[in-house]
Amino acid sequence: MLGNLSTAVGVCETVQRTGNNVPFFDYRTGGGTRSKGVAVTVKAKRYLEVFEMLFVGLGFMFFSNALEDIGMPSAILSMSRYFLALVSLIFVLLRYKSLHFKFKRNIALFLVIFLVTMSFTWSGIGPETLFVVRSQFLPMTAFGLYLAASFNTRDLVLKLSFVAAFFVLLNYMLVFGMPSVGVDQRVFVGAWTGIHTHKNGASAYSLISALLFIIMARRPSPVKWFGLSRQRCFSFLSVLAFIFVLKTTSGTGTALALFLIATLAIYPRFKWRGRKTILLLDLVAMVLLVVGVAVFGYWEEILTSMGKDPTLTGRTVFWGISIEALFKENPFLGFGRGAFWTQTSSYSQAIDYYFRGAYNVPHAHNGFLEIALDVGLIGFGFFVLNIFTTLRRALKQAYLPIDPVNLFPLGYTIIFLVNNMTESLTSNLYTMFWPLYIAVSLNAGLPSNWMITPRKKSSPEYDPLDPMPRPSFPQSS
């Protein structure tokens, strides 16, 4: 099967460089110029498109833990993990030019990946850390690099939106067809979970689906499904996704859903207008600062009045223990990937003793703290730098009026940041949030239909002061 895949990819992407023709043809966008040696068959292209759609769907199901949550045998889970990693690596090697250009814009993210991968060298339990890196972190990262190397923002949104549609419909089938599976019957009784086992995970992935559906609903298309325009179908799916978020009873998900709707509705209408814009931004920043200070100062009173635990189900307790341990042991490089939470860790044992076995703490329940524990303040600094860079580029990209999909990097970054405040959705365990963050970060700031097009020195577009490939704009599909 892998041999046929390599053949199909080679047929679609291998180019014989002849003359001064552009030596690249993007089979997904139709961009570039075909030279005489380019052999692109329609059948191979269709096979590859179908394969990649199924491959993205498999990756989404595996890394979101959907396969494990529905009770898939461990042998199939193991095969899926290594299949995803191997095929992702093949695609990355075949599409290295695009990835190379994007990585040069995101050195900080590359350093974070490098530090986490090499963290077994300074971990106190090197073999265990190496096993975790090899079996969890590297497959997730490889899949994220595949998404970044293979798709621009537009293609990524198109692929993910169809996968998300399948997920949402499957969630509703389980809720109404098999409520014993789709509705929580133990801890949060009555909360909708769908194919997931916890309401927070169900809420987070439903939010991503809602974001994709809103964007697709704003893209004009002549395509009709069941007699309805594609825009109306995605509008209906977005309503279903938001309803599912509300039915999970996740407070974070509900608040984030409202904020996401407001952001996507208001931000594209905002235009830069000189000093008035700067003044408005200052006012917004001031309001957010005041609200942040008020929430921080009256944290316990606010949560108590809402009937919530002021310690966020004990999170603030082990957050404090974790931060103290980090600065005491190895503040610069951390403990190594996942080493802090192993059963042999004295700090993990102290946390378990504090809760008297009533609450199992497998990770930090905070993505930023998780990175700091894994790779110390050095890795944490690079991660924060990459987040700020991604957010800045996503904000600028959202201003582009060319295509609504330019809103996706901003919307996803907001979801990623907020959910990582109370959950570990970075490099810990299996999560689809990390591969998607890699893809979004590497594509942020580039036009939605960007494609790499190397230029010849004889080309009139060549600028000796800027020899890097410039974004080109093939016709939108």
Side-chain angles (χ1 to χ4, degrees):
M1 181 176 182
L2 293 178
N4 295 334
L5 170 62
S6 300
T7 302
V9 176
V11 169
C12 289
E13 297 189 347
T14 299
V15 178
Q16 297 179 4
R17 305 189 178 196
T18 57
N20 291 327
N21 289 336
V22 178
F24 185 87
F25 178 72
D26 190 330
Y27 65 90
R28 290 174 299 277
T29 60
T33 302
R34 296 192 186 190
S35 59
K36 294 180 180 179
V38 178
V40 180
T41 65
V42 176
K43 183 177 292 187
K45 176 181 175 181
R46 288 178 179 174
Y47 284 154
L48 187 57
E49 287 282 355
V50 173
F51 175 84
E52 291 202 67
M53 176 66 75
L54 296 176
F55 185 69
V56 172
L58 175 63
F60 202 105
M61 291 194 67
F62 180 81
F63 291 116
S64 64
N65 292 306
L67 292 180
E68 182 179 359
D69 292 342
I70 61 178
M72 197 66 66
S74 59
I76 295 181
L77 294 177
S78 181
M79 291 176 58
S80 300
R81 175 172 62 250
Y82 291 110
F83 173 75
L84 288 167
L86 178 60
V87 176
S88 295
L89 181 60
I90 292 175
F91 276 114
V92 166
L93 293 176
L94 290 170
R95 298 166 180 172
Y96 71 94
K97 289 184 180 180
S98 174
L99 186 63
H100 176 258
F101 171 76
K102 293 176 181 179
F103 247 132
K104 291 183 71 172
R105 302 171 65 248
N106 295 270
I107 299 298
L109 180 59
F110 171 78
L111 292 175
V112 172
I113 294 174
F114 175 77
L115 287 173
V116 175
T117 303
M118 300 302 297
S119 63
F120 70 92
T121 58
W122 62 80
S123 171
I125 49 172
E128 293 183 33
T129 303
L130 177 60
F131 174 79
V132 173
V133 169
R134 186 181 68 242
S135 61
Q136 294 182 2
F137 179 73
L138 289 182
M140 285 194 302
T141 301
F143 188 68
L145 295 179
Y146 154 73
L147 294 177
S150 302
F151 309 116
N152 51 38
T153 302
R154 182 194 63 182
D155 295 333
L156 182 64
V157 170
L158 288 174
K159 289 286 191 299
L160 291 177
S161 61
F162 291 105
V163 174
F166 171 76
F167 263 69
V168 169
L169 295 177
L170 182 59
N171 280 334
Y172 273 89
M173 289 174 60
L174 291 177
V175 167
F176 292 104
M178 301 178 62
S180 60
V181 177
V183 180
D184 196 332
Q185 308 290 336
R186 296 173 295 177
V187 183
F188 305 99
V189 180
W192 288 12
T193 58
I195 58 178
H196 303 280
T197 56
H198 198 280
K199 66 172 187 174
N200 290 341
S203 172
Y205 287 111
S206 295
L207 269 175
I208 298 177
S209 300
L211 170 64
L212 292 166
F213 298 152
I214 290 177
I215 291 173
M216 291 298 294
R218 299 177 64 173
R219 297 188 82 236
S221 174
V223 178
K224 289 190 175 183
W225 296 335
F226 307 105
L228 298 175
S229 66
R230 193 176 73 174
Q231 289 176 278
R232 288 184 178 273
C233 292
F234 276 113
S235 297
F236 176 71
L237 287 171
S238 66
V239 173
L240 291 181
F242 277 119
I243 292 176
F244 196 90
V245 171
L246 296 177
K247 297 297 290 184
T248 61
T249 69
S250 172
T252 301
T254 301
L256 191 53
L258 297 176
F259 179 77
L260 192 64
I261 293 175
T263 301
L264 295 178
I266 296 174
Y267 193 83
R269 302 177 184 274
F270 192 82
K271 302 295 181 182
W272 291 101
R273 294 191 177 93
R275 295 181 179 178
K276 292 183 179 180
T277 296
I278 297 176
L279 177 61
L280 180 58
L281 289 176
D282 290 340
L283 291 175
V284 171
M286 186 179 298
V287 170
L288 292 177
L289 179 62
V290 171
V291 173
V293 171
V295 171
F296 181 80
Y298 297 95
W299 180 264
E300 293 191 8
E301 289 81 355
I302 293 174
L303 290 178
T304 303
S305 64
M306 296 173 61
K308 301 291 185 179
D309 182 3
T311 66
L312 295 177
T313 321
R315 285 179 173 87
T316 57
V317 175
F318 57 79
W319 285 349
I321 297 176
S322 303
I323 294 173
E324 181 181 354
L326 175 65
F327 282 94
K328 180 180 178 181
E329 294 290 337
N330 194 351
F332 297 107
L333 292 177
F335 296 89
R337 170 67 180 83
F340 184 86
W341 303 104
T342 58
Q343 295 180 352
T344 58
S345 170
S346 59
Y347 296 105
S348 179
Q349 292 174 0
I351 293 174
D352 290 338
Y353 178 78
Y354 176 86
F355 289 102
R356 301 294 194 277
Y359 181 54
N360 182 32
V361 186
H363 50 78
H365 285 276
N366 183 291
F368 307 101
L369 179 57
E370 199 74 59
I371 288 289
L373 291 173
D374 287 348
V375 290
L377 298 180
I378 295 177
F380 177 75
F382 287 133
F383 183 60
V384 171
L385 176 61
N386 178 255
I387 286 177
F388 276 111
T389 302
T390 301
L391 187 59
R392 176 177 59 83
R393 291 171 176 171
L395 287 168
K396 290 184 178 181
Q397 184 176 350
Y399 279 107
L400 299 177
I402 300 174
D403 195 332
V405 299
N406 285 310
L407 291 168
F408 180 71
L410 175 62
Y412 179 78
T413 304
I414 292 173
I415 296 175
F416 180 79
L417 292 177
V418 173
N419 277 284
N420 269 293
M421 295 294 182
T422 55
E423 297 293 336
S424 293
L425 300 175
T426 48
S427 63
N428 186 273
L429 305 177
Y430 287 123
T431 172
M432 189 61 194
F433 274 80
W434 179 246
L436 276 182
Y437 177 74
I438 292 176
V440 168
S441 180
L442 295 182
N443 278 296
L446 297 174
S448 62
N449 54 358
W450 180 89
M451 55 169 285
I452 186 169
T453 306
R455 290 171 293 168
K456 295 282 187 178
K457 289 188 177 181
S458 59
S459 171
E461 298 179 355
Y462 181 82
D463 182 2
L465 299 179
D466 180 26
M468 293 302 299
R470 290 182 178 178
S472 62
F473 299 86
Q475 294 182 354
S476 178
S477 60

